[in-house]
Amino acid sequence: GMELHEQAPSPAPVQCTEANPLHSVRREFTWRAPSTYGGNVSSVCFSVADSCGRCSCAGRQDITVHCVTFRVQRCKYSVGVEHQLSEVGALYGVGWLQLWKMN
């Protein structure tokens, strides 16, 4: 699923005449691809805008757009109910415990 985390203060990327932590903020976006997305390639664009323009609130709105391409690798093996980790591990030359830790 997708999650957009709360806004948090960040070090200012621009030089301001007054030190103010409200001039720069950050948000973290996380996404875990569903198992059905194997081989999918998608682009997502994020648009960020401030309320009035840089440090001195110059009256114009600054907008930044950044696009990211997500490439989801295909699964190499899908384990069924009838399979045991030791069987799958033997296919890839690893023990069941190492396979369990990687999952």
Side-chain angles (χ1 to χ4, degrees):
M2 174 182 65
E3 186 175 348
L4 184 60
H5 301 274
E6 290 294 320
Q7 189 167 288
S10 178
V14 295
Q15 294 298 319
C16 298
T17 55
E18 299 174 20
N20 186 337
L22 300 177
H23 287 296
S24 181
V25 293
R26 66 184 167 94
R27 291 190 86 168
E28 185 177 323
F29 173 81
T30 56
W31 178 68
R32 181 176 296 267
S35 59
T36 57
Y37 270 43
N40 182 281
V41 177
S42 300
S43 290
V44 177
C45 294
F46 299 91
S47 178
V48 180
D50 67 6
S51 59
C52 63
R54 300 265 179 183
C55 301
S56 61
C57 199
R60 75 178 198 295
Q61 188 178 43
D62 294 319
I63 299 172
T64 300
V65 177
H66 184 76
C67 298
V68 179
T69 300
F70 294 96
R71 290 180 174 81
V72 182
Q73 292 184 348
R74 290 191 186 277
C75 292
K76 294 183 180 183
Y77 191 84
S78 179
V79 178
V81 173
E82 68 280 1
H83 297 113
Q84 294 191 17
L85 289 178
S86 58
E87 296 171 334
V88 178
L91 293 172
Y92 294 97
V94 297
W96 73 268
L97 187 56
Q98 184 179 2
L99 187 63
W100 178 75
K101 287 180 184 178
M102 292 172 19
N103 195 11

